């Protein structure tokens, strides 16, 4: 059926009609008092969502732009940056740091695994000269669906004295992520995930410790410069021409998030992810992340049954049921498929997606009890 495709991927995520309606309106001047009024509300509500007293900057970019905005305003050539990597996006921190001349070290784990805090504690304890300036880490790894214990990791990093720089692209709005309470020094995210708007905006918040390091940066980014954005936030404006319509849509989305409540939104994501995991196991599917406590509430990665291919599963899901699930990335391409439970997703969407997956697997000859997954999902949604 045309015009009925539904995204169940880690991003872009479904967008509410009320948000799309706002985005579709005629653009307004980005230096107008009307737009400044909208920005003032957006900046205030972003603090609520990020659960911080610090300013949250809005960049017209993808989430990777915010990652660049973090490191390009902190790193000088030769600085030692330790990157804790769970997969593709953890490795992206390392690539960005290398591109600006940092001395990069990585602690990397296998796909589906998370960083052992004791490994980090040991490595930082060995750094007696305090050469490690910045530690980058991922909260929810989009490529695998694994989730680090950011609270504990940031506590260990703080004890050492380095800055923690966290990718919260698929965790902010979906999982508890509290920079002020947990001691996260820099936190970034992106619009097309839990924020329920299309791609094109990215966010960054930094605390006083990070600002002191910024002040020592010899060549801060021009476009992403923190000082320029701080000045703009103070004046309810932006340093450069922003994606006006996306910000208008963001304003509506933030009101919806605030109405639901950030804690309730986090709980909804957890309920969906844990119920989905139970249901997938019930139809004899293997999950890439084995332990629920290490699982993201945004993305679930599934290993296809023996003899079935990821392209075939995705093709039938799309062509027969108009539901899009994601392939794996890089080394995991065609080895896993990923279902997103991120953003504007409700129980109905999850039930429909799992029903379509059951029908797809049945068509491909997978051995399982038809209907058991949906039944398990419905029961799981009641329990959690």
């Amino acid at each position: 059926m045309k015009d009925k495709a539904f995204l169940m991927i880690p991003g872009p995520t479904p967008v509410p009609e009320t948000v799309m309606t706002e985005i579709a309106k005629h653009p307004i001047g980005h230096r107008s008092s009307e737009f400044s009024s909208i920005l003032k509300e957006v900046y205030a509500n972003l603090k609520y969502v990020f659960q911080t007293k610090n300013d949250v900057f809005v960049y017209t970019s993808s989430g990777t732009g915010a990652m660049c905005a973090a490191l390009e305003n902190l790193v000088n050539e030769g600085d030692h940056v330790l990157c804790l990597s769970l997969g593709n996006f953890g490795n992206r921190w390392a690539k960005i740091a290398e591109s600006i001349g940092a001395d990069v070290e990585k602690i990397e784990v296998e796909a589906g695994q998370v960083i052992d805090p004791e490994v980090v504690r040991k490595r930082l304890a060995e750094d007696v000269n305090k050469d490690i300036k910045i530690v980058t880490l991922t909260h929810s790894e989009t490529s695998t669906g694994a989730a680090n214990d950011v609270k504990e990791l940031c506590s260990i990093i703080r004890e050492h004295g380095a800055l923690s720089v966290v990718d919260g692209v698929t965790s902010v709005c979906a999982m508890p992520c509290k920079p002020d309470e947990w001691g996260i020094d820099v936190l970034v995210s992106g619009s097309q995930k839990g924020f329920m708007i299309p791609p094109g905006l990215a966010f960054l918040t930094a605390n006083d410790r990070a600002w002191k390091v910024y002040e020592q940066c010899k060549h801060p980014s021009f476009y992403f410069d923190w000082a320029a954005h701080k000045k703009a936030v103070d004046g309810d404006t932006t340093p450069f021409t922003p994606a006006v319509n996306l910000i208008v849509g963001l304003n509506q989305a933030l009101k919806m998030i605030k109405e639901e409540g950030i804690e309730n939104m986090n709980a909804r994501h957890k309920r969906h992810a844990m119920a989905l995991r139970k249901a997938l196991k019930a139809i004899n599917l293997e999950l890439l992340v084995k332990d629920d406590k290490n699982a993201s509430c945004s993305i679930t990665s599934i290993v296809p049954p023996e003899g079935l291919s990821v392209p075939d599963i995705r093709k039938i899901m799309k062509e027969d049921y108009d539901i899009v699930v994601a392939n794996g990335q890089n080394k995991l391409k065609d080895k896993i498929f990923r279902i997103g439970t991120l953003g504007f997703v409700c129980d109905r969407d999850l039930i429909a997606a799992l029903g379509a997956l059951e029908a797809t697997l049945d068509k491909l000859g997978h051995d399982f009890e038809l209907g058991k997954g949906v039944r398990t999902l419905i029961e799981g949604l009641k329990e959690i």
Side-chain angles (χ1 to χ4, degrees):
M1 185 179 291
K2 291 183 179 179
D3 297 327
K4 206 173 179 64
F6 191 77
L7 297 176
M8 289 296 289
I9 60 177
T13 60
V15 179
E17 288 294 327
T18 52
V19 173
M20 288 304 300
T21 301
E22 289 297 309
I23 292 172
K25 290 180 179 178
H26 197 280
I28 58 177
H30 67 289
R31 299 301 182 211
S32 66
S33 59
E34 182 182 0
F35 190 61
S36 287
S37 178
I38 290 170
L39 276 173
K40 184 173 184 176
E41 192 168 13
V42 163
Y43 289 142
N45 285 338
L46 281 171
K47 286 185 178 184
Y48 165 77
V49 170
F50 275 81
Q51 299 177 76
T52 181
K53 62 178 175 45
N54 298 306
D55 290 324
V56 180
F57 303 149
V58 179
Y59 297 112
T60 297
S61 76
S62 67
T64 302
M67 295 171 76
C68 288
L71 294 186
E72 290 173 7
N73 285 287
L74 296 172
V75 175
N76 291 316
E77 188 172 0
D79 284 346
H80 193 155
V81 177
L82 175 63
C83 299
L84 311 180
S85 177
L86 304 182
N88 187 45
F89 293 95
N91 288 331
R92 185 164 296 180
W93 278 126
K95 291 176 181 178
I96 295 169
E98 287 169 349
S99 76
I100 51 180
D103 174 17
V104 175
E105 175 186 350
K106 283 203 294 185
I107 295 176
E108 190 170 5
V109 296
E110 292 296 318
Q113 301 296 311
V114 297
I115 299 293
D116 182 348
E118 293 310 311
V119 171
V120 178
R121 191 187 306 278
K122 181 176 182 294
R123 176 63 190 95
L124 293 179
E126 293 169 351
D127 183 33
V128 293
N129 294 324
K130 307 296 183 183
D131 292 325
I132 297 173
K133 178 179 178 179
I134 292 167
V135 181
T136 67
L137 57 156
T138 310
H139 193 180
S140 164
E141 173 57 55
T142 312
S143 66
T144 68
N148 270 321
D149 185 343
V150 166
K151 182 178 181 180
E152 184 172 2
L153 290 170
C154 286
S155 175
I156 293 167
I157 296 164
R158 177 65 65 91
E159 287 175 12
H160 168 275
L163 282 187
S164 58
V165 178
V166 175
D167 168 1
V169 171
T170 51
S171 66
V172 176
C173 292
M175 301 164 63
C177 188
K178 303 177 181 182
D180 293 5
E181 182 180 327
W182 294 357
I184 299 172
D185 295 307
V186 181
L187 176 64
V188 302
S189 195
S191 63
Q192 76 277 23
K193 309 293 186 176
F195 288 86
M196 307 185 298
I197 68 170
L201 298 180
F203 315 105
L204 179 148
T205 185
N207 64 16
D208 290 343
R209 293 180 78 244
W211 273 95
K212 288 178 181 176
V213 176
Y214 162 82
E215 290 165 3
Q216 303 303 314
C217 185
K218 296 175 182 177
H219 304 290
S221 170
F222 177 78
Y223 182 71
F224 295 121
D225 181 52
W226 290 5
H229 284 268
K230 168 65 176 169
K231 181 179 179 182
V233 169
D234 290 343
D236 300 324
T237 186
T238 58
F240 312 108
T241 305
V244 171
N245 285 46
L246 286 180
I247 291 175
V248 172
L250 173 64
N251 189 39
Q252 176 62 31
L254 290 172
K255 290 176 182 177
M256 294 178 66
I257 293 169
K258 202 167 182 181
E259 182 178 356
E260 181 177 3
I262 193 66
E263 293 84 3
N264 293 331
M265 196 170 186
N266 293 162
R268 167 166 60 83
H269 281 81
K270 183 175 182 178
R271 186 169 67 90
H272 284 166
M274 294 304 116
L276 176 62
R277 288 175 63 83
K278 283 185 179 180
L280 293 167
K281 292 174 187 176
I283 55 174
N284 305 328
L285 292 177
E286 179 187 350
L287 304 182
L288 184 65
V289 179
K290 309 302 181 191
D291 195 327
D292 286 353
K293 72 180 179 63
N294 296 331
S296 169
C297 294
S298 305
I299 313 106
T300 300
S301 293
I302 304 118
V303 180
E306 187 174 353
L308 273 62
S309 77
V310 168
D312 284 346
I313 291 169
R314 297 183 67 236
K315 182 173 186 287
I316 294 172
M317 288 279 285
K318 176 66 170 65
E319 291 184 355
D320 290 9
Y321 306 105
D322 288 304
I323 293 176
V324 181
V325 296
N327 203 331
Q329 297 180 321
N330 297 336
K331 293 179 181 179
L332 293 174
K333 184 178 180 182
D334 293 342
K335 294 182 179 177
I336 61 169
F337 61 99
R338 296 172 294 150
I339 296 179
T341 47
L342 181 58
F344 193 58
V345 173
C346 66
D347 291 8
R348 177 204 65 187
D349 303 327
L350 207 54
I351 292 167
L354 192 66
L357 177 60
E358 283 205 38
T360 297
L361 295 173
D362 183 60
K363 185 174 184 177
L364 291 171
H366 177 49
D367 184 21
F368 70 103
E369 181 185 333
L370 190 63
K372 188 175 181 181
V374 172
R375 186 169 68 249
T376 303
L377 176 66
I378 292 170
E379 291 302 318
L381 290 171
K382 291 178 186 175
E383 295 170 4
I384 299 172

